[in-house]
Amino acid sequence: MKITQMHKQKDTVLSFEIFPPKKDDELKNIDATLDILCELNPDFISVTFGAGGSSNNNRTIELAKKIKYQYHVEPVVHLTCLSYDKKDIDEFSRILTSEGIENVLALRGDRNPDIPEKDEFHHASDLITYLKRKNDFGIAAACYPECHPESANRVEEMRHLRKKVDAGAEVLLSQLFFDNNYFYRFVEDCRIAGIDIPITPGIMPVINAKQIKRMVTMCGASLPERFQKIIYKYGDNKDALFDAGMSYALSQIIDLLANDVDSIHLYTMNNPIVARRICEGIRNII
């Protein structure tokens, strides 16, 4: 099923993100997480994608096939473009189509000094335009409630996002955030800008101090005072921070649903304990 159909047919769309294990023999271990995630009947599970032609790309496809044919859940495969040319994208598209995978999350991809960039796709909108012209995928795109780190301001952010939508993006999945007010304001800005496709908030439970620093560095998400107090009080207690981080993420999700947000995308980090705790917390409210 295409990702747009899911939003038309469901009152609340629930989805998760997982990533392919780095080693082939670890692919079997992902079942523990998938078993738990699929108990809640998610509408789709997105699978991240390695850049630069790495073997991780093959694991992405294998994992997407497992999700679709073993667990009977729609996979959405991340597809980056910064380090690929049209021939590469054609080949990835051919493989995905041949395996019956209908949906992709079209991304530029992060810049990596160790992986050379190619000169055919500079932005996610370029990839979306190309995919729409040659394929029949359902296409999701990324959005950033607090602006992409490379955007000069909110006006520029909306301009770039509008290009993705005009190119053919049908659903937006947001980067993580820790203050729901940023998401609500972002959605309002999108509607004013004429962006009327579904916008799904992305939630990541932060369960250790090292992860917090990494996430903030990577995506520039700000930490509200309430969250900073949690870090300050429990940062040196691993178990307490895990519980507090899970509770905070659940409170975000409950607030979003209470404010009529009709979709949730959860970054699971392949952690079956995180998956189970979230699923137990929201099972009766979706």
Side-chain angles (χ1 to χ4, degrees), residues 94-283:
R94 184 193 66 77
I95 294 171
L96 293 174
T97 299
S98 69
E99 299 293 352
I101 296 170
E102 299 181 80
N103 298 289
V104 299
L105 173 59
L107 305 162
R108 186 198 70 178
D110 295 327
R111 290 196 160 92
N112 186 331
D114 298 323
I115 300 176
E117 298 178 13
K118 295 191 177 179
D119 199 39
E120 295 192 28
F121 300 101
H122 298 285
H123 305 284
S125 56
D126 300 329
L127 175 60
I128 295 168
T129 297
Y130 189 74
L131 289 172
K132 275 292 185 181
R133 188 163 66 241
K134 303 195 68 174
N135 301 276
D136 189 34
F137 295 125
I139 297 180
C143 62
Y144 300 81
E146 297 184 63
C147 288
H148 189 281
E150 296 178 22
S151 289
N153 51 52
R154 295 169 66 83
V155 174
E156 182 179 286
E157 181 74 15
M158 283 296 120
R159 187 179 301 119
H160 289 312
L161 190 59
R162 181 80 224 191
K163 286 183 179 179
K164 294 182 187 181
V165 175
D166 289 344
E170 300 158 297
V171 173
L172 296 174
L173 299 181
S174 94
Q175 179 58 270
L176 64 90
F177 55 90
F178 300 109
D179 184 340
N180 287 1
N181 289 321
Y182 282 113
F183 180 77
Y184 299 140
R185 185 174 68 173
F186 172 76
V187 172
E188 183 178 0
D189 288 346
C190 286
R191 301 316 184 207
I192 292 171
I195 297 170
D196 58 2
I197 63 175
I199 303 172
T200 297
I203 301 297
M204 175 178 282
V206 176
I207 56 176
N208 63 67
K210 183 178 179 181
Q211 180 194 24
I212 294 167
K213 295 177 182 177
R214 183 173 68 250
M215 289 300 101
V216 172
T217 300
M218 286 178 59
C219 67
S222 59
L223 300 179
E225 183 178 358
R226 183 165 70 96
F227 192 75
Q228 292 183 48
K229 288 180 178 178
I230 290 174
I231 299 169
Y232 179 78
K233 186 172 181 64
Y234 303 113
D236 295 329
N237 185 327
K238 182 178 179 181
D239 292 338
L241 182 59
F242 181 93
D243 288 339
M246 293 299 301
S247 295
Y248 190 92
L250 277 169
S251 71
Q252 280 192 270
I253 293 171
I254 291 168
D255 179 76
L256 289 163
L257 294 173
N259 282 278
D260 298 323
V261 173
D262 59 6
S263 53
I264 298 291
H265 188 62
L266 181 71
Y267 298 103
T268 70
M269 302 158 290
N270 288 26
N271 187 319
I273 299 174
V274 168
R276 182 174 295 282
R277 185 78 67 86
I278 290 290
C279 290
E280 290 173 349
I282 64 176
R283 186 185 303 276

